[in-house]
Amino acid sequence: MPDVLVIGGATEAMLARMSEKFTVHKWAEHDMDWLEENAEKITHVVTNGHDGVRPEIMAALPNLQMISCYGVGYDAIDTTEAVRRGIMVTHTPGVLNDEVATTAVMLVLACYRELLRDDAYVRSGEWEKKGSAPLTRSLENQTIGILGLGRIGQAIATKLAPWNPTTVYHSRTKKDVPYTYYDNLEAMAADSDILICITPGGAETRKIVNAEVLAALGPKGTLINVARGSVVDETALIDALQSGKLGWAGLDVFEQEPKVPQALRDLPNTVLLPHVGSATVETRTAMANLTVENLLQHLETGTVATPVPE
C-alpha cells in the first residue's frame, strides 16, 4: 500500500478510512531522522490549515504527489512550491461556510448586546444589588463592512440580513453581488459600524487591519475576526481597545495561537473564542469526510473534488 503522512492529528474515523488504502504514519510519533529514512515511500500528506506542511518536511519528500488539507484555509502550505513540483493541494470549502458565518454572527451579537458583561452581572449577584444592567446597543440598521467576500463572507452577509444592515465589502476584486464595493479598506472601515474579517491569511493579508484601519473604524466600532490571526495587527488592536480608539472586538483567531496576550484577556470590551469557527460535530465530520474523499479520489483516479485555486 502507498504511504500517507498525517500531520496535526486526525479523527479515528479518518484514520480507519485511510488505513484501508494507505499505510498511515503520524508525524506526532516521528521526527526528521525518521523522515529521512522513510521519505521516499510517502506519496500523500494529510494536514490542517494551522499546521500545514513545514518547508523542511515538504522538501524532504521527493515523491510527494498530493496534500489533503482539513480546513478551508491553507496558508500554512507553500502552494507556490507545490505548483512548481506538481503536487496537488486540496482543502474543504463549502462544508463549513454556514458554521463559520454563524460564529461571526454570534460574536457580533455578543459584542453588541454585551453578553459576557451581563452574564457576569447576573452570576455575581449585582443584578439583585444594583438593579437593571446598563443598556446595550441595537444591531438594527448598522453598516457592516466585510473584509473578504468569498463563500463564507457571503454567508455572513446573508445571515446578518434580518437585522437590515447596509452591507459593504473590500476584496481583491469587485464581485457581482448586491453590496457596495470599496477598493480601499481604510475608507470602508471609516464608513462601517462593524468590520468583519474573513479574508484568507498569508503574506498578502498579513496585518492588513492595521492601526490606521482600526482608527478609521473608531471608538464606536466593532472588529470581528474569524479569518486568521495574522490578518490583524494584534499590538495595534490592543492599543486601540485600551485607549478607546476602538470600541469592541470579537475574536476567534489570534497571532500566536493558542497563546493569547494577557492584555486581550483582561479587556472588558472583548469576546474571545479558542478558534472554534467551524467546531461543531456536524461540520467537522463533513470536513473530515471531504479531506479523506479527496485523498482516496486522488489515489484512485489522480483527480480531486476540491483543489485549491492555485
Side-chain angles (χ1 to χ4, degrees), residues 184-248:
N184 182 282
L185 177 57
E186 189 175 333
M188 185 180 79
D191 290 344
S192 298
D193 300 297
I194 305 166
L195 175 60
I196 300 177
C197 304
I198 189 57
T199 190
E204 290 185 5
T205 58
R206 181 169 177 77
K207 298 188 178 182
I208 189 172
V209 179
N210 54 27
E212 290 73 25
V213 172
L214 296 170
L217 188 55
K220 294 184 179 180
T222 298
L223 175 75
I224 304 295
N225 191 4
V226 288
R228 284 284 189 263
S230 60
V231 169
V232 176
D233 184 332
E234 207 163 79
T235 300
L237 174 62
I238 291 169
D239 175 71
L241 289 166
Q242 289 177 332
S243 65
K245 296 174 186 175
L246 178 68
W248 296 264

Side-chain angles (χ1 to χ4, degrees), residues 142-157:
Q142 299 293 282
T143 298
I144 299 174
I146 300 178
L147 171 58
L149 199 72
R151 298 180 185 92
I152 301 175
Q154 293 185 49
I156 291 171

Side-chain angles (χ1 to χ4, degrees), residues 7-309:
I7 299 173
T11 66
E12 290 301 317
M14 292 173 70
L15 293 171
R17 289 185 66 193
M18 288 188 281
S19 296
E20 294 176 2
K21 298 292 183 179
F22 287 89
T23 300
V24 178
H25 305 280
K26 299 178 182 178
W27 177 244
E29 299 174 355
H30 301 296
D31 56 22
M32 290 302 295
D33 291 336
W34 174 88
L35 189 63
E36 186 176 345
E37 295 178 5
N38 295 273
E40 290 192 1
K41 61 185 181 182
I42 294 171
T43 56
H44 293 70
V45 165
V46 169
T47 186
N48 58 65
H50 179 73
D51 292 289
V53 183
R54 299 204 314 259
E56 64 270 26
I57 295 177
M58 185 182 289
L61 300 174
N63 298 316
L64 183 59
Q65 300 173 16
M66 188 260 193
I67 300 169
S68 185
C69 181
Y70 174 93
V72 68
Y74 53 91
D75 44 289
I77 299 170
D78 187 345
T79 52
T80 300
E81 178 65 6
V83 169
R84 187 189 72 79
R85 290 179 53 184
I87 299 168
M88 177 64 72
V89 180
T90 64
H91 62 155
T92 59
V95 295
L96 49 68
N97 296 354
D98 282 334
E99 214 64 71
V100 176
T102 295
T103 300
V105 174
M106 177 174 68
L107 284 169
V108 170
L109 286 168
C111 288
Y112 261 67
R113 296 305 306 270
E114 295 284 5
L115 178 66
L116 299 185
R117 185 202 71 186
D118 284 358
D119 178 83
Y121 195 73
V122 174
R123 293 178 188 275
S124 68
E126 292 298 293
W127 185 19
E128 184 178 354
K129 296 174 184 176
K130 297 182 179 179
S132 299
L135 298 178
T136 60
R137 301 172 295 158
S138 174
L139 185 56
E140 294 289 335
N141 303 309
Q142 299 293 282
T143 298
I144 299 174
I146 300 178
L147 171 58
L149 199 72
R151 298 180 185 92
I152 301 175
Q154 293 185 49
I156 291 171
T158 298
K159 284 180 181 284
L160 284 168
W163 285 276
N164 305 304
T166 297
T167 301
V168 300
Y169 72 99
H170 171 76
S171 61
R172 285 176 292 185
T173 58
K174 189 175 182 180
K175 301 178 182 294
D176 184 19
V177 293
Y179 312 125
T180 301
Y181 173 68
Y182 280 74
D183 61 7
N184 182 282
L185 177 57
E186 189 175 333
M188 185 180 79
D191 290 344
S192 298
D193 300 297
I194 305 166
L195 175 60
I196 300 177
C197 304
I198 189 57
T199 190
E204 290 185 5
T205 58
R206 181 169 177 77
K207 298 188 178 182
I208 189 172
V209 179
N210 54 27
E212 290 73 25
V213 172
L214 296 170
L217 188 55
K220 294 184 179 180
T222 298
L223 175 75
I224 304 295
N225 191 4
V226 288
R228 284 284 189 263
S230 60
V231 169
V232 176
D233 184 332
E234 207 163 79
T235 300
L237 174 62
I238 291 169
D239 175 71
L241 289 166
Q242 289 177 332
S243 65
K245 296 174 186 175
L246 178 68
W248 296 264
L251 309 172
D252 185 43
V253 290
F254 305 88
E255 280 191 8
Q256 301 294 330
E257 295 175 9
K259 296 179 181 179
V260 177
Q262 188 65 46
L264 275 178
R265 290 187 272 161
D266 290 342
L267 283 164
N269 50 346
T270 59
V271 179
L272 311 177
L273 299 178
H275 202 153
V276 293
S278 63
T280 63
V281 171
E282 297 84 356
T283 297
R284 289 292 172 86
T285 298
M287 291 167 61
N289 289 339
L290 183 52
T291 300
V292 177
E293 285 161 13
N294 273 317
L295 182 75
L296 298 179
Q297 182 175 324
H298 186 268
L299 178 65
E300 183 74 21
T301 68
T303 64
V304 295
T306 54
V308 301

